[in-house]
């Protein structure tokens, strides 16, 4: 059974004041929430009536809502047809603040000031940029609700009400990308939806392309290229681990009966899909021409579900000169091959416009990994405190890929950077701590303990537990887990227990009454549920839904 409704005791919230509940419908979990045709091919409007205790705020992914205070009853209505997985509900100790003419943030009271400071004014900027590219925003409001760290993914594009994990608030650049990705889904995924789970790239690949067009318009090409380089690095890492002939690397993946479609979510869905969309845009010669096509595509298919052939036929009809050139059959780059060949993308974007940001990363990495090590030159070549987050995580990811490193290298790295990284955001700190673990660098292990003692999110706990249990530090991991397990959601406790149990006698039972756990083929940080595979860490797919 797929778990859809997550009930949290007050202790699992930030404020520790009131219980909390949320739903997560993607991809086929809403069948346990309400009777429905749980397929993206079917769309409908919906209405809902929810009764809640006084002091509990209820929100849904709906265009209209009313509250009858004397009865404690909320009524919701979604006036546009949506697939079942986009029906969402959240209830808890939530308050709001307006951050734009059509946007507000909802969060627990202790988090609201931070949410306001991070997003006030800029969400409207992103929406306006998206509208200039792809046409009017059709959903009315664009509100955001920040959920407790038990939220199992990073973000979810529920129409009118994006769900985002609160843990990401401290990582500004990741927050920017996550929200803009969800904004892009308002057009690609929500308005026009993939008709089958076997073609999720139609939502994720197009949304990723649109996200990067929006960031280029608002933050410049260099930033977009840096973020893309970071993601493509992760794609190639995943491909190396899975193998180039793995069928899940296809854009049109075969979904076997009885398999949870979320198990097929991986970086190929996002980044290989993005590369195909980018390739189509390059065939037009000017991305603005492709923007015009996408506006027409949205207008033609909004509120419906499509298959890949719908997109590609529309593309060729919109650009008859390309159809005359038979671009769909260009040797080595055939559309059919893009969709059904395993392995890496057939072509990748030119990221040279980001060289001012990526070149320093490449230079520093080379200095630290070239023998003999000149630690003085390496240490003086860059000031990480002045780098963008995506530069630092790209550098650390490459060090992590090269681990274990020579002892002299990890010792000098710690001397140069460990104290600096302590004050940086969690996306940076977790990568450094994974380097510490994979290199068995005992002087910094206390920082691993301190980090895990203060984290309740799966995206910041699972990767470290995986690495601790892969190496020689499983007893250290067990000790931390038994000290911190009560602050973790039962599902996360069970997942970590499964990791810790690998190769050991069964651990003492943990009370996980009524908790069910799906075991995906790969554990991804986005839209994937409950268990893990040591080969692929959550860090490899830090993307939004």
């Amino acid at each position: 059974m797929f778990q859809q409704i997550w009930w949290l005791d007050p202790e699992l919230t930030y404020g520790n004041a009131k219980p909390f509940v949320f739903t997560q419908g993607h991809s086929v979990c809403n069948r346990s929430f309400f009777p429905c045709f749980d397929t993206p091919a079917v769309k409908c409007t919906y209405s809902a009536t929810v009764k809640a205790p006084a002091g509990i705020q209820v929100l849904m992914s709906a265009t209209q809502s009313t509250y009858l205070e004397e009865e404690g009853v909320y009524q919701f209505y979604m006036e546009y047809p949506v697939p079942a997985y986009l029906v969402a509900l959240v209830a808890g100790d939530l308050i709001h603040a307006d951050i734009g003419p059509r946007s507000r943030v909802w969060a627990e009271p202790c988090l609201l000031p931070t949410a306001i400071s991070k997003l006030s004014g800029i969400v409207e900027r992103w929406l306006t940029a998206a509208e200039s590219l792809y046409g009017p925003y059709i959903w009315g409001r664009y509100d955001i609700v920040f959920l407790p760290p038990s939220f199992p993914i990073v973000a979810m594009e529920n129409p009118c009400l994006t769900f985002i994990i609160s843990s990401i608030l401290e990582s500004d650049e990741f927050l920017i990308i996550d929200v803009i990705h969800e904004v892009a889904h308002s057009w690609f995924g929500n308005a026009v939806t993939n008709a089958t789970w076997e073609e999720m790239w139609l939502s994720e690949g197009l949304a990723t392309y649109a996200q990067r067009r929006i960031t280029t318009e608002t933050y410049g090409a260099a930033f977009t290229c840096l973020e893309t380089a970071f993601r493509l690095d992760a794609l190639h890492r995943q491909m190396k681990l899975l193998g180039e002939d793995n069928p899940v690397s296809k854009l049109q993946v075969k979904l076997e009966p009885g398999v949870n479609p979320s198990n097929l979510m991986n970086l190929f869905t996002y980044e290989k899909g993005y590369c195909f969309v980018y390739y189509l845009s390059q065939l037009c010669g000017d991305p603005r021409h492709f923007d015009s096509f996408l506006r027409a595509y949205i207008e033609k298919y909004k509120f419906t579900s499509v298959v890949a052939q719908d997109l590609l036929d529309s593309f060729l009809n919109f650009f008859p000169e390309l159809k005359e050139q038979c671009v769909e059959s260009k040797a080595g780059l055939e559309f059919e091959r893009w969709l059904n060949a395993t392995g890496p993308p057939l072509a990748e974007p030119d990221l040279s416009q980001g060289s001012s940001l990526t070149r320093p990363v490449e230079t520093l990495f080379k200095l630290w990994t070239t023998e003999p090590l000149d630690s003085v030159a390496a240490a003086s070549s860059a000031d990480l405190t002045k780098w963008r987050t995506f530069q630092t995580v790209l550098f650390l990811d490459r060090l992590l890929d090269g681990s274990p490193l020579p002892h002299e290298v990890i010792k000098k790295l710690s001397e140069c950077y460990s104290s600096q990284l302590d004050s940086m955001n969690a996306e940076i700190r977790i990568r450094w701590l994974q380097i510490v673990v994979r290199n068995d660098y005992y002087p910094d292990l206390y920082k691993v303990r301190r980090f895990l003692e203060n984290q309740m999110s799966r995206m910041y706990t699972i990767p470290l537990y995986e690495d601790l249990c892969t190496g020689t530090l499983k007893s250290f991991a067990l000790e931390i887990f038994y000290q911190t397990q009560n602050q973790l959601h039962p599902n996360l406790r069970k997942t970590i227990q499964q990791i810790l149990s690998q190769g050991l006698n069964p651990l003492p039972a943990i009370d996980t009454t009524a908790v069910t756990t799906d075991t995906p083929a790969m554990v991804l940080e986005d839209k994937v549920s409950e268990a893990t595979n040591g080969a692929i860490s959550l860090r490899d797919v830090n993307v939004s839904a």
Side-chain angles (χ1 to χ4, degrees), residues 474-534:
K474 183 171 283 189
S475 60
F476 179 69
L478 280 164
E479 180 184 339
I480 297 172
F481 173 67
Y482 283 128
Q483 290 175 352
T484 62
Q485 60 176 304
N486 289 335
Q487 70 189 40
L488 305 175
H489 188 277
N491 285 11
L492 180 55
R493 290 207 303 265
K494 186 171 183 179
T495 301
I496 295 172
Q497 186 184 30
Q498 290 170 345
I499 297 170
L500 294 168
S501 297
Q502 293 173 10
L504 293 178
N505 292 327
L507 297 179
I510 296 173
D511 181 13
T512 54
T513 305
V515 173
T516 59
T517 304
D518 304 317
T519 305
M522 295 166 294
V523 174
L524 307 178
E525 190 176 288
D526 180 51
K527 284 183 182 158
V528 173
S529 42
E530 305 307 323
T532 115
N533 177 320

Side-chain angles (χ1 to χ4, degrees), residues 354-494:
S355 60
S356 63
L357 297 174
T358 56
R359 192 181 301 116
V361 176
E362 294 161 359
T363 299
L364 187 61
F365 176 73
K366 187 174 181 180
L367 285 170
W368 279 108
T369 54
T370 298
E371 296 183 358
L373 173 66
D374 185 346
S375 59
V376 175
S380 62
S381 68
D383 182 355
L384 298 193
T385 63
K386 296 180 180 178
W387 274 14
R388 288 182 172 272
T389 289
F390 279 117
Q391 288 179 290
T392 306
V393 295
L394 182 61
F395 170 61
L396 294 176
D397 271 352
R398 291 182 178 180
L399 289 176
L400 195 50
D401 291 338
S403 293
L405 300 163
H407 181 73
E408 179 192 9
V409 173
I410 185 65
K411 181 174 183 291
K412 291 295 183 181
L413 280 166
S414 179
E415 291 173 1
C416 289
Y417 301 129
S418 185
S419 61
Q420 292 181 22
L421 300 175
D422 282 346
S423 61
M424 296 185 185
N425 64 61
E427 290 290 340
I428 292 173
R429 297 201 313 277
I430 190 174
R431 286 167 168 83
W432 170 246
L433 296 177
Q434 286 186 274
I435 292 171
V436 167
V437 170
R438 291 193 189 181
N439 287 275
D440 292 332
Y441 189 64
Y442 288 88
D444 275 3
L445 272 184
Y446 76 96
K447 297 183 179 182
V448 176
R449 177 192 296 274
R450 187 171 63 197
F451 186 84
L452 289 174
E453 285 174 347
N454 290 284
Q455 290 293 337
M456 297 185 289
S457 166
R458 70 177 39 249
M459 68 182 184
Y460 295 138
T461 53
I462 296 298
L464 278 170
Y465 276 108
E466 286 180 332
D467 284 346
L468 286 166
C469 292
T470 299
T472 61
L473 297 167
K474 183 171 283 189
S475 60
F476 179 69
L478 280 164
E479 180 184 339
I480 297 172
F481 173 67
Y482 283 128
Q483 290 175 352
T484 62
Q485 60 176 304
N486 289 335
Q487 70 189 40
L488 305 175
H489 188 277
N491 285 11
L492 180 55
R493 290 207 303 265
K494 186 171 183 179

Side-chain angles (χ1 to χ4, degrees), residues 80-296:
Y80 304 115
V82 295
Y85 75 87
L86 290 178
V87 177
L89 176 147
V90 59
D93 186 14
L94 295 168
I95 59 175
H96 76 270
D98 290 336
I99 55 169
R102 48 183 161 173
S103 300
R104 62 180 42 155
V105 288
W106 293 86
E108 293 182 63
C110 59
L111 290 176
L112 188 65
T114 301
I116 295 170
S117 68
K118 300 283 187 177
L119 293 174
S120 183
I122 60 173
V123 172
E124 181 61 26
R125 182 184 174 195
W126 300 334
L127 286 169
T128 300
E131 287 182 315
S132 71
L133 294 168
Y134 305 119
Y137 177 76
I138 59 179
W139 302 98
R141 298 198 57 81
Y142 184 86
D143 295 341
I144 298 169
V145 58
F146 285 96
L147 275 69
S150 299
F151 188 51
I153 62 175
V154 178
M156 183 63 205
E157 67 271 19
N158 303 309
C160 307
L161 186 67
T162 286
F163 284 18
I164 298 186
I165 192 169
S166 299
S167 310
I168 208 70
L169 272 168
E170 69 171 276
S171 305
D172 289 359
E173 291 180 22
F174 280 83
L175 176 65
I176 287 169
I177 294 301
D178 291 336
V179 177
I180 292 178
H181 186 84
E182 307 315 315
V183 166
H185 268 308
S186 301
W187 286 262
F188 305 101
N190 294 4
V192 182
T193 310
N194 47 284
T196 167
W197 294 121
E198 295 179 332
E199 293 186 325
M200 280 187 273
W201 74 272
L202 283 169
S203 289
E204 298 300 348
L206 280 161
T208 302
Y209 177 85
Q211 161 211 310
R212 290 176 179 151
R213 288 289 291 127
I214 297 168
T215 59
T216 298
E217 293 294 313
T218 53
Y219 296 100
F223 175 74
T224 298
C225 289
L226 171 64
E227 184 266 335
T228 305
F230 166 71
R231 303 298 190 193
L232 290 178
D233 250 30
L235 175 68
H236 288 287
R237 181 183 307 117
Q238 190 173 100
M239 185 168 54
K240 182 178 179 181
L241 292 168
L242 292 174
E244 291 194 7
D245 59 349
N246 195 303
V248 301
S249 64
K250 296 180 180 181
L251 290 183
Q252 287 186 329
V253 188
K254 179 64 176 176
L255 181 61
E256 299 297 336
V259 173
N260 184 343
S262 289
N263 295 3
L264 302 180
M265 292 295 291
N266 55 55
L267 271 175
F268 296 96
T269 308
Y270 293 81
E271 298 302 335
K272 189 173 181 178
Y274 160 76
C275 287
F276 184 28
V277 177
Y278 181 88
Y279 170 69
L280 295 176
S281 76
Q282 293 301 292
L283 291 175
C284 306
D286 185 333
R288 289 173 295 183
H289 295 160
F290 193 64
D291 295 336
S292 297
F293 158 66
L294 290 177
R295 280 197 299 273

Side-chain angles (χ1 to χ4, degrees), residues 330-350:
K330 186 176 180 180
L333 293 165
E334 299 91 346
F335 290 0
E336 181 65 21
R337 187 175 178 187
W338 269 104
L339 295 175
N340 289 302
T342 59
L346 303 183
E348 293 189 8
D350 175 11

